[in-house]
Amino acid sequence: MSIVLTYAVEGKDVLLRIHNKPPEVVGIVWYKGNGVDKNNVIAFYIMTSSFHLSGPTNNAGEMITGDGSLLLRKVTKKDAGTYTVVVHLPDSKQEIGIGVLQVYERLRKPILLSNRYRVTENKDSVLLTCYTNGKFPQWFLNGMNLTLTDRMMLSMDGRRLTIYPVQREDAGVYKCKVWNPIMCVEISLLTFWSSPATAKISIASTYAAEGKDVLLRICDKPPEVLGIVWYKGNCVNKNNVIAFFIMTSGVHLSGPENNGREILKNDGSLLLKKVTPRDAGIYTVVAHLPDSKQEIGHGELDVYEHLRVPVLLASSYGVTENEDDVVLTCYTNGLSIQWFLNGMNLPITDRMKLSGNGRRLTIDPVKREDAGVYKCKASNPIMWVESQPLKLHVLYQ
């Protein structure tokens, strides 16, 4: 017996169903978390008398339906995680099942930007960034899946594509597409390719660990700059000004988005002291030039929190060969997941399926060679950390 693995969009109602429920059930008790703890009771239901009662973790939105399923109303990210159900049977017997609810926020339409839109073949590089709340975007060029060459490099989260050096076959229409088990969205970007031309100003996108100092540098800054203005966000708005610098007079002034941790350097770069996740996002810089001309550049700062040790759980720790399936879930705040079996990289077979974010491994059906010690390794561009080992037992004739 188990709980059916379920996906949902934030704000929707969700029904957690019981898989292989025995027919002679006397009562049902639902718990939040991985195990039986009276402090984590959501609700229980005596089926012989249709008697319902809520537990200490019931938020008034949870109820057990007539077939023993658990209905969660208007789910939030806090509802995501492991659930346990206990089925009470005659003669004081019971069966326990475990399952996972994944709650996803609604995907916003990605914003696809380039650090340059005019580049020179065999000389310049270009950075395409897919700004999205989705995980691991898929890249397309001229309507086809983008084939990565030895001149291309993807960031670990798949959101930044660097091409160096650019060649004429890289010209075309680019798209990035993101999805989760609920929905998918995509956005297009017209070609960045141009014959030899002057490079445009941009911000060198970067990443940093929470609490560190970060310097946002300007790329391809014209030599005749009169003033520099920095903005938080992807547009020029006086309410989003961080700071500006009149280079001819050396005058610095702060804007409404300055929190006292932002310092504009004499070369026009922006120093951010002790960055937090709220500092992450898109930044805009405007270089003011003679004759009232200006150039505008964009860039992104990614701020990563300290990685917690992943928690590796299984839907069942003892399964039968060719009869059962098993779901291994790596609970982590890491961006990239790597799986290991008995100390070696796990080879994915045709019986195995990874979720879109790589955190859930489903094996169906289980075979004896799947038995052993599993680990998951989580990483981001700053660091990596491994889970404690999990031992899976496979019963066979």
Side-chain angles (χ1 to χ4, degrees), residues 91-103:
D91 300 324
S92 300
K93 296 179 180 179
Q94 63 181 32
E95 288 190 18
I96 300 176
I98 298 173
V100 175
L101 168 64
Q102 295 286 348
V103 179

Side-chain angles (χ1 to χ4, degrees), residues 229-382:
V229 187
W230 281 84
Y231 299 82
K232 185 72 167 70
N234 187 34
C235 63
V236 176
N237 186 319
K238 66 179 181 180
N239 296 320
N240 294 338
V241 171
I242 300 171
F244 60 92
F245 176 38
I246 302 173
M247 303 189 78
T248 53
S249 61
V251 174
H252 293 257
L253 288 173
S254 298
E257 279 291 329
N258 194 302
N259 297 311
R261 295 182 295 106
E262 297 87 354
I263 301 172
L264 194 51
K265 311 291 283 185
N266 288 338
D267 63 354
S269 56
L270 182 67
L271 177 64
L272 306 178
K273 306 283 287 186
K274 296 182 179 179
V275 293
T276 71
R278 297 183 66 179
D279 295 314
I282 302 175
Y283 287 77
T284 299
V285 65
V286 177
H288 292 270
L289 309 174
D291 301 323
S292 299
K293 295 180 181 179
Q294 62 181 31
E295 287 192 15
I296 300 176
H298 304 278
E300 182 185 25
L301 169 64
D302 286 322
V303 179
Y304 297 93
E305 62 179 322
H306 188 81
L307 277 183
R308 300 186 294 272
V309 175
V311 177
L312 183 56
L313 298 176
S315 57
S316 179
Y317 295 86
V319 289
T320 303
E321 184 179 35
N322 293 321
E323 290 184 13
D324 295 331
D325 61 63
V326 67
V327 179
L328 305 180
T329 305
C330 184
Y331 295 97
T332 174
N333 62 335
L335 295 175
S336 180
I337 309 298
Q338 191 175 1
W339 291 85
F340 297 88
L341 174 58
N342 296 326
M344 305 291 289
N345 274 306
L346 175 67
I348 303 298
T349 69
D350 55 2
R351 296 178 293 102
M352 297 179 179
K353 181 180 178 182
L354 279 175
S355 63
N357 58 13
R359 296 179 184 179
R360 285 186 310 281
L361 171 67
T362 303
I363 309 175
D364 185 17
V366 176
K367 292 188 178 293
R368 66 188 71 184
E369 58 262 31
D370 300 320
V373 177
Y374 287 78
K375 278 187 178 182
C376 64
K377 174 181 172 181
S379 62
N380 62 31
I382 306 298

Side-chain angles (χ1 to χ4, degrees), residues 47-61:
M47 302 190 77
T48 52
S49 62
S50 298
F51 178 74
H52 293 258
L53 199 61
S54 298
T57 60
N58 193 299
N59 297 316

